[in-house]
Amino acid sequence: MITVALDAMGGDHAPRAEVEGAVLAAREYADVRILLVGIPEKVRPELDRLRHRDLPIEIVPATDVVTMTDSPSHAFRRKKDSSLHVAARLVRDGKADALVSAGNTGAVMTVARFVLGTLPSVDRPALAWAFPNIKEKVSIMLDVGANVDSKPLHMEQFAVMGEIYYRELWGTKRPRIALLSIGEEDVKGNELTKESAALLKQTSLNFVGNVEGRDVFRGNVDVIVCDGFIGNIALKLSEGLVEHIGGMLKKAIKSSLASQIGYALSKKAFGAFRKRTDYSEYGGAPLLGVRGVTIIGHGRSNANAVKNAIRVAAELCRSGMNEKIEQELSAAAAIPARG
Amino acid sequence: MITVALDAMGGDHAPRAEVEGAVLAAREYADVRILLVGIPEKVRPELDRLRHRDLPIEIVPATDVVTMTDSPSHAFRRKKDSSLHVAARLVRDGKADALVSAGNTGAVMTVARFVLGTLPSVDRPALAWAFPNIKEKVSIMLDVGANVDSKPLHMEQFAVMGEIYYRELWGTKRPRIALLSIGEEDVKGNELTKESAALLKQTSLNFVGNVEGRDVFRGNVDVIVCDGFIGNIALKLSEGLVEHIGGMLKKAIKSSLASQIGYALSKKAFGAFRKRTDYSEYGGAPLLGVRGVTIIGHGRSNANAVKNAIRVAAELCRSGMNEKIEQELSAAAAIPARG
C-alpha cells in the first residue's frame, strides 16, 4: 500500500478539487491510500458529498493554510500548522510515502526541501516539468525553478535525477539527455553549459549534447537539463504563449459569422488540441532529490489534475526512484577522477 | 537620402527574396537608396526580371558568400570578400548608413560587431526582438543572443538602448522597462537580475521591476531586458511552440470532414492569426550598439520581410538613434556615484 499525504487546502479550487481528485484516485488505484490534510470543517463536507465509505481515505487535521501570496519563507517559518507543513511532516515521520500539493509552488518547494531534507548525495533538489512534444510524447525539463545560479555539479545531478525519473515514468531504458543552450555545437553556450557539458560527457548517461529552445517541442531528446532560472522562464513563457495564441484564435474566430460556423464544425478538433496543451493531464511536477516523493500540482488543478498528481506520486513510490537516485549519485561521487 | 547596404546573398531565399524586397522598398520609400551587395551574375538576372530602371538600386560586387553553416569566426576571418563583409565595409567607410542581412545570424553579428565596431560608450551590442503581444502591440526583448554571461553594467546598457529603440520605432515617450526574471518581487531572481535591478533603479529610465516569462505576451511592459543566453532560448522556444501548435491544429483539423469544412469557413480568421504570429511582419532584429544601423532578418525572410527590414533600417537612420544612444550612455557614465 502506498500512502499519499495530500494537501487538501492547496490550489485555487481547494478543498473541492483536492477531495474529488482524492476520491477519483482512491477508486482507480487499488494500492493507494490517501491522507487528506486540511481544516476538517472544510474538508469533511466535501468528502461527505461523495461516496467514499469503502475507500481508503482519511482526514488528518491542520489548523492553518498557506495562501498563494505567502512568501516561501513566511510559509516555512510562520505556518507550521498549515496543511502543507502537516502533510510534509507525515512524510518525514514515515506515516506517508508521498506529498502532493497544488498550492503555492515556492512554498511547497521550500517546505519539502527543509522539512523532508534532500537525499544524502543530492546538493540541490530540482523541479521537473513535462512538455508535450510534436511526437506525441513528452520531454522533461529540469530544473524549472527550484534553484538559480546552479553550478556544473548541480547540473550533473539534475541530469542523473531526470534520467531516472524519465526511465521510471515513461519506460525508456536509455533516455536521451541534453543541455538547453543557444546552439548545438560544443562551443555555443555560456560558462555554465560549457562546463556542465564537459562533466556530462564523462558520465555513463546517454548525453547527446546541446539543444536549443525550439527543440523543447521537437521530441528529439527526452531530458533537457538547465538552471532553474532558465527553466522557469521557459515554462512560464510557454504557458503565456499558449494562452496568448488561444486568445488570438478566439478573437479571430469571433470576427465573422462564417468563421463562427467554422469553429462550431471544428470544435472537436479544438477539443483534442486543447487536451494536448493542457498541462494538467501530465500530473504535476515532481521535486526530485528530496527524501520522500513530492509532487507539485498546478495552482489551477481541477479534480482530474489532482488525481493525475496522485497517480504519478504512487508510480514514483512503487518504482523506488529515490533509492535509485541515491545509488547512482553516490556511485558517481565515488569515482575520484570526476572530482 | 538614406543608403542601405543589403546583403543580397544572405537568407534561405537569396538572392531572389532580397532583390524583390529591395525593389519593393525602393518603390515605397522615397528617400531610400539600396546597394545590392552580391555576386553580380546571380543578382543581375533577378533584378532584370523586375522593373527597376527608375529606382535608386545599384549592384555592388562581392565574390564570396557566407553560408548558414559557416561558423561566425570562419565567416569573419576567412570570407573577407563575401557579400556580408563587403556590405559591412560600405557602412564602415561611410558609403552606406545601414547594413541589412537575412543571412547566418551569428556571422552577421560577428562581422557587424568587429567590422563596424561598437559605439564609444557601448561595451557589448545587443540583439533586440519584437514579440507581438495580446494588446496588439509589441514588447521588445534584448539581448536575444549577441552575448552570454552579461554583467549588470551590460544589462543597464541594454536597457538604455532598448528604451531609445522602442521610443524611436513605436513612438512611446517613456517606455516601460522590465527585467526578465522568475518572480515580480525584488527578492526573486538570480545574482545577475538582482544586481541589475539595483543599477536600473538608479537611472532615469522608467524601470518597472521584474516580469516573468508569461508577461512577454501580456503587453504590460515595452522593453524586456535579459542576458542573451536567456533571450535566445526565449525566442527560439517561442518560435518552436508556434510551429508546434500550428502543426497540432493542422493535424486536429485533418482528423474529420466536419472540421475540414469548419476550417475552410474560418480560413480568413486563421489568416489573420497567422499574420499576427508571422515574425517577418516586424522587420527583423536590430543589433543595437554598433556604429551604423544593422538589421538582421530571419533566415526564412521573403521579399516582404526584406522590405520591412529595409524600412526599419531607414527609420532608425532617420531618427538618429545611434547619436541618442551615445549621448545617453556617455551622460550616464559621467555620473560618478553610479560607478
Side-chain angles (χ1 to χ4, degrees):
Chain A
M1 204 74 177
I2 288 155
T3 304
V4 173
L6 175 65
D7 172 8
M9 311 307 287
D12 299 343
H13 308 298
R16 176 161 290 188
E18 272 60 23
V19 173
E20 287 179 3
V23 169
L24 289 174
R27 266 192 207 138
E28 197 165 325
Y29 315 123
D31 64 343
V32 173
R33 178 174 156 250
I34 296 158
L35 306 178
L36 273 174
V37 187
I39 296 172
E41 305 87 82
K42 298 207 168 161
V43 177
R44 171 66 57 201
E46 293 295 338
L47 189 59
D48 285 342
R49 284 193 313 110
L50 307 164
R51 281 204 308 176
H52 68 91
R53 299 272 163 229
D54 48 337
L55 297 174
I57 299 181
E58 285 166 49
I59 294 175
V60 176
T63 57
D64 203 354
V65 173
V66 172
T67 69
M68 288 298 185
T69 54
D70 281 336
S71 76
S73 64
H74 180 81
F76 174 62
R77 286 193 210 126
R78 308 267 168 221
K79 295 204 164 176
K80 304 263 185 202
D81 295 318
S82 62
S83 54
L84 174 58
H85 267 274
V86 173
R89 285 198 296 267
L90 287 170
V91 177
R92 185 195 65 190
D93 299 342
K95 287 171 191 154
D97 304 295
L99 164 67
V100 172
S101 176
N104 179 329
T105 302
V108 182
M109 288 196 296
T110 304
V111 169
R113 180 173 183 165
F114 294 108
V115 171
L116 303 180
T118 54
L119 294 169
S121 300
V122 172
D123 290 298
R124 294 181 176 185
L127 192 64
W129 193 263
F131 286 86
N133 63 45
I134 206 139
K135 298 202 173 139
E136 309 206 346
K137 300 205 165 147
V138 303
S139 303
I140 65 153
M141 186 186 283
L142 77 170
D143 171 33
V144 297
N147 310 278
V148 297
D149 296 320
S150 304
K151 302 279 173 280
L153 183 70
H154 306 137
M155 300 279 273
E156 186 191 344
Q157 294 182 355
F158 298 167
V160 170
M161 294 195 289
E163 199 235 14
I164 295 169
Y165 168 57
Y166 198 93
R167 206 167 63 203
E168 297 308 324
L169 218 53
W170 286 277
T172 307
K173 271 198 184 149
R174 293 270 292 158
R176 296 157 298 179
I177 317 284
L179 275 172
L180 185 59
S181 186
I182 58 169
E184 288 177 14
E185 306 84 350
D186 274 9
V187 296
K188 296 281 183 74
N190 60 12
E191 277 178 36
L192 175 64
T193 60
K194 287 177 195 171
E195 288 175 31
S196 303
L199 264 189
L200 284 167
K201 276 182 192 160
Q202 296 174 52
T203 65
S204 60
L205 294 167
N206 184 12
F207 175 59
V208 299
N210 289 348
V211 290
E212 296 188 76
R214 59 166 63 89
D215 297 301
V216 171
F217 307 100
R218 283 197 176 153
N220 43 359
V221 294
D222 303 311
V223 178
I224 299 169
V225 176
C226 60
D227 170 57
F229 184 83
I230 317 280
N232 190 269
I233 286 173
L235 168 59
K236 294 201 174 144
L237 190 86
S238 303
E239 290 191 319
L241 187 53
V242 166
E243 250 175 60
H244 173 45
I245 291 179
M248 278 199 294
L249 273 175
K250 222 180 211 171
K251 215 168 172 180
I253 284 160
K254 274 190 182 160
S255 68
S256 84
L257 183 63
S259 52
Q260 281 179 47
I261 297 169
Y263 176 71
L265 285 166
S266 42
K267 221 169 182 175
K268 217 178 136 187
F270 286 112
F273 161 71
R274 241 190 242 121
K275 193 165 174 175
R276 287 211 25 85
T277 57
D278 179 5
Y279 295 107
S280 75
E281 288 293 315
Y282 296 92
L287 184 67
L288 301 173
V290 291
R291 292 172 198 259
V293 166
T294 299
I295 303 290
I296 306 180
H298 202 292
R300 286 176 298 184
S301 288
N302 55 20
N304 189 48
V306 172
K307 185 196 82 170
N308 277 319
I310 294 171
R311 170 179 60 75
V312 170
E315 281 183 44
L316 296 180
C317 290
R318 277 183 219 117
S319 74
M321 179 181 70
N322 278 349
E323 292 72 21
K324 288 171 186 165
I325 288 175
E326 187 51 34
Q327 210 175 335
E328 291 202 21
L329 281 181
S330 61
I335 304 172
R338 292 183 40 271
Chain B
M1 202 77 178
I2 287 155
T3 304
V4 173
L6 175 64
D7 173 8
M9 312 306 287
D12 299 345
H13 307 296
R16 177 160 293 187
E18 272 62 22
V19 173
E20 288 179 2
V23 169
L24 289 174
R27 267 193 207 134
E28 197 164 326
Y29 315 123
D31 64 341
V32 173
R33 178 175 157 251
I34 296 159
L35 305 178
L36 273 174
V37 187
I39 296 172
E41 305 87 81
K42 299 207 168 159
V43 177
R44 172 64 58 198
E46 293 295 340
L47 188 59
D48 285 344
R49 284 192 314 110
L50 307 163
R51 282 203 307 176
H52 69 92
R53 299 276 162 224
D54 49 335
L55 297 173
I57 299 182
E58 283 166 50
I59 295 176
V60 175
T63 58
D64 204 354
V65 173
V66 171
T67 69
M68 288 298 185
T69 54
D70 282 335
S71 75
S73 64
H74 181 80
F76 175 62
R77 286 194 210 126
R78 309 267 166 220
K79 295 203 163 176
K80 304 263 186 198
D81 296 317
S82 62
S83 54
L84 175 58
H85 268 274
V86 173
R89 285 198 296 266
L90 288 169
V91 177
R92 184 194 65 190
D93 299 342
K95 288 170 189 153
D97 305 295
L99 165 66
V100 172
S101 177
N104 179 325
T105 303
V108 182
M109 288 196 297
T110 304
V111 169
R113 179 173 183 166
F114 294 108
V115 171
L116 303 180
T118 53
L119 294 170
S121 301
V122 172
D123 289 299
R124 295 180 174 186
L127 193 64
W129 194 264
F131 287 85
N133 63 45
I134 206 139
K135 298 201 174 141
E136 309 209 343
K137 299 206 168 150
V138 303
S139 302
I140 66 154
M141 186 187 283
L142 78 172
D143 171 33
V144 298
N147 310 281
V148 297
D149 296 320
S150 304
K151 303 279 172 281
L153 182 69
H154 305 137
M155 301 277 275
E156 186 192 345
Q157 294 182 357
F158 299 167
V160 170
M161 295 194 289
E163 198 235 14
I164 295 170
Y165 168 57
Y166 197 93
R167 205 167 63 200
E168 296 309 323
L169 220 53
W170 286 277
T172 307
K173 272 196 187 155
R174 294 267 295 158
R176 294 156 299 180
I177 318 284
L179 275 172
L180 185 58
S181 188
I182 58 170
E184 287 176 17
E185 306 84 351
D186 273 10
V187 296
K188 295 281 183 75
N190 60 13
E191 277 177 36
L192 175 63
T193 59
K194 286 178 196 169
E195 289 176 28
S196 302
L199 264 189
L200 285 167
K201 275 182 195 161
Q202 297 175 53
T203 67
S204 60
L205 295 168
N206 183 11
F207 175 58
V208 298
N210 290 345
V211 290
E212 296 189 78
R214 60 167 63 89
D215 296 300
V216 172
F217 306 101
R218 282 196 178 156
N220 42 1
V221 294
D222 302 310
V223 177
I224 299 168
V225 176
C226 60
D227 170 58
F229 184 84
I230 316 282
N232 191 267
I233 286 172
L235 169 59
K236 293 200 174 144
L237 190 89
S238 303
E239 289 192 320
L241 187 54
V242 166
E243 252 176 57
H244 174 45
I245 292 178
M248 277 199 296
L249 272 176
K250 222 179 209 169
K251 215 168 172 177
I253 283 160
K254 274 190 182 160
S255 68
S256 84
L257 183 63
S259 53
Q260 281 179 46
I261 297 170
Y263 177 71
L265 285 168
S266 42
K267 221 169 183 175
K268 218 177 133 188
F270 286 112
F273 162 70
R274 240 190 241 121
K275 193 163 172 177
R276 286 210 27 86
T277 57
D278 179 4
Y279 294 107
S280 75
E281 289 292 315
Y282 296 93
L287 183 68
L288 301 173
V290 292
R291 291 173 199 259
V293 165
T294 298
I295 303 290
I296 306 180
H298 201 291
R300 287 175 297 185
S301 288
N302 55 19
N304 188 50
V306 172
K307 184 197 83 171
N308 278 319
I310 294 171
R311 169 180 58 76
V312 170
E315 280 183 45
L316 296 180
C317 289
R318 276 184 220 114
S319 73
M321 178 182 69
N322 278 350
E323 292 71 24
K324 288 172 185 164
I325 289 175
E326 186 51 32
Q327 212 175 332
E328 291 202 22
L329 282 181
S330 61
I335 304 172
R338 294 183 39 269

